[in-house]
Amino acid sequence: MSVFDWFSGADKGSPDAPSVDSSDKLALYESAWCPFCERVSRTIEQLGLDIQRCDTGQAAHAQALVAGGGKRMVPCLRIETAPDEYFWLYESADIMAYLRAHAERQK
Ligand SMILES: N[C@@H](CCC(=O)N[C@@H](CS)C(=O)NCC(=O)O)C(=O)O
């Protein structure tokens, strides 16, 4: 991946991340001071997606992230694959690529 691709989030993303039929099944775990989260946030705005946001500055969200995803790192996209079952997608470039593909499918 080139530096340009990294900045634009134009890589292929994670092939393992399951697709979902609605943005209701997505939630972004993020923190206010994180530049990687800011990149993902800008992408969400550009794509016009309505996605639940979970600020890990709140202890309950931070605990849910570690318990579910296994790492405290943000950003992380929680993808609901079935009721109460989730796939946790880390890495801002992968999240951005996933969201672009998701937005395309919503058209
Ligand atoms: N390569 C990752 C880097 C993310 C990252 O470093 N996030 C920082 C906040 S800016 C973090 O959560 N650090 C705490 C940790 O890794 O536990 C990405 O692009 O998403």
Side-chain angles (χ1 to χ4, degrees):
M1 184 172 41
S2 71
V3 171
F4 175 78
D5 286 344
W6 186 89
F7 274 106
S8 65
D11 70 333
K12 289 193 174 64
S14 170
D16 297 333
S19 56
V20 290
D21 56 13
S22 167
S23 299
D24 292 347
K25 294 176 180 163
L26 302 176
L28 181 71
Y29 285 72
E30 62 187 341
S31 67
W33 43 265
C34 168
F36 302 96
C37 302
E38 181 56 31
R39 287 200 317 144
V40 175
S41 183
R42 276 204 306 272
T43 299
I44 289 172
E45 284 162 24
Q46 284 165 3
L47 294 172
L49 294 172
D50 184 14
I51 290 179
Q52 183 189 347
R53 312 287 280 265
C54 301
D55 183 350
T56 56
Q58 295 179 30
H61 289 317
Q63 286 162 10
L65 174 61
V66 175
K71 288 187 283 190
R72 172 74 178 75
M73 189 170 78
V74 287
C76 179
L77 186 69
R78 190 192 71 192
I79 303 166
E80 186 177 4
T81 54
D84 289 327
E85 285 184 26
Y86 304 102
F87 183 98
W88 300 80
L89 180 61
Y90 288 94
E91 291 300 326
S92 53
D94 288 346
I95 295 169
M96 291 157 71
Y98 180 92
L99 292 174
R100 289 186 206 288
H102 173 74
E104 274 300 311
R105 285 191 300 271
Q106 299 295 295
K107 285 181 181 170

